[in-house]
Amino acid sequence: ETQPHPIAQQINQDMVRVNGGNFLMGSDSNEAKKTEKPAHIVTLDDFYIAKFEVTQQLFESIMGSSLSYFQSPTIPVNNLSWQQANYFIMKLNQITGETYRLPTEAEWEYAARGGQLSQGYIYSGSDNIEDVAWYTKNAKNRAHPVGMKQPNELGLYDMTGNVGEFVSDAYDDTFYRFSPTDNPNNARDEASGLAHKSVRGSSFSYKANESENYRRDFASQSIIMADMGLRLVRDAK
């Protein structure tokens, strides 16, 4: 068995295996937006997800540099678009021989809620947002180094707040009504007329009542925002 590439070794060391299962995705609460309803059962296979958002250190080790607005090796790469996030993953896979990808929207929410270890928290890892997130009230309008707040049930950091996280799914405001139960993946291309992509996990510029685990937001594939980043996933072999 050949040793993984050193960068892959480093990434895999910080990945958590999420055991698949069923969960209730979305919300039927009065606070939920129409696009976040109805709550519906989803069944997922096992997968691996990174404990941390992709740091500038990791991003720059592959890309040479980043255009991060908030700069520091340990701060998540930020100020990038969905297209740039995918270009990074493509290069990363070329260099390491691995098959990293963005999470699907369902995988992201399942992991944020704690997977099979879920305690049913409002935010990822707590009912008190201060414990787990950099958000409007404590972030001073900037991104912070990864892993400074408490992790969630799976040992994942910054799933709520810090930088928003791109997922693979196109943003379709009616998708929850007809979403398949098993491993839903709405990764449709621009030809389908859905040029927007889903964004999860709120960020340092979101309020507490915009940051619950079920919240969905969206962005065009090419827009660059100072509060956007990404987190890596890979299939469980």
Side-chain angles (χ1 to χ4, degrees):
E1 176 96 44
T2 55
Q3 279 296 306
H5 188 282
I7 291 175
Q9 270 178 310
Q10 186 197 329
I11 294 169
N12 295 345
Q13 210 174 303
D14 282 336
M15 281 194 141
V16 171
R17 187 186 180 104
V18 181
N19 294 318
N22 302 333
F23 81 110
L24 203 55
M25 184 171 180
S27 174
D28 290 323
S29 81
N30 292 336
E31 288 78 47
K33 295 185 293 212
K34 216 162 58 177
T35 58
E36 293 154 352
K37 300 178 178 185
H40 55 289
I41 294 277
V42 167
T43 305
L44 294 172
D45 296 336
D46 299 2
F47 60 97
Y48 284 91
I49 188 166
K51 283 184 196 175
F52 307 112
E53 292 162 335
V54 169
T55 61
Q56 288 167 50
Q57 195 170 9
L58 172 56
F59 187 89
E60 291 168 9
S61 72
I62 297 298
M63 305 301 287
S65 63
S66 83
L67 297 173
S68 291
Y69 187 75
F70 304 104
Q71 291 195 347
S72 165
T74 56
I75 289 179
V77 65
N78 56 81
N79 207 38
L80 85 170
S81 69
W82 188 89
Q83 287 167 337
Q84 289 168 332
N86 277 278
Y87 186 66
F88 158 73
I89 294 174
M90 187 185 83
K91 297 274 287 190
L92 174 65
N93 289 341
Q94 279 172 355
I95 288 169
T96 60
E98 299 284 333
T99 50
Y100 301 112
R101 58 180 176 82
L102 291 176
T104 65
E105 194 168 3
E107 286 170 339
W108 190 96
E109 187 171 322
Y110 181 61
R113 289 175 180 269
Q116 288 189 1
L117 305 178
S118 179
Q119 301 287 307
Y121 295 127
I122 301 169
Y123 308 106
S124 188
S126 181
D127 287 335
N128 176 9
I129 193 169
E130 293 283 342
D131 295 343
V132 292
W134 297 107
Y135 74 115
T136 45
K137 281 216 175 122
N138 63 15
K140 301 192 163 78
N141 203 28
R142 56 169 300 128
H144 291 261
V146 299
M148 306 282 284
K149 294 284 183 178
Q150 292 172 25
N152 81 348
E153 300 95 316
L154 291 167
L156 309 176
Y157 294 84
D158 303 303
M159 290 291 279
T160 305
N162 212 7
V163 294
E165 300 180 17
F166 291 115
V167 293
S168 56
D169 295 51
Y171 180 79
D172 177 346
D173 53 11
T174 61
F175 186 63
Y176 282 12
R177 289 179 222 162
F178 55 84
S179 160
T181 309
D182 291 359
N183 299 305
N185 183 355
N186 199 23
R188 294 189 273 172
D189 59 13
E190 287 183 66
S192 67
L194 293 173
H196 287 90
K197 294 290 176 181
S198 291
V199 167
R200 299 301 301 251
S202 69
S203 80
F204 62 77
S205 61
Y206 286 65
K207 298 177 185 147
N209 66 359
E210 301 168 320
S211 300
E212 298 93 338
N213 286 327
Y214 63 80
R215 291 290 181 199
R216 309 176 75 199
D217 213 337
F218 61 89
S220 78
Q221 297 185 26
S222 53
I223 194 168
I224 292 170
M225 288 179 292
D227 67 341
M228 282 305 308
L230 76 151
R231 185 182 302 258
L232 297 172
V233 161
R234 65 183 170 91
D235 293 336
K237 299 190 176 52

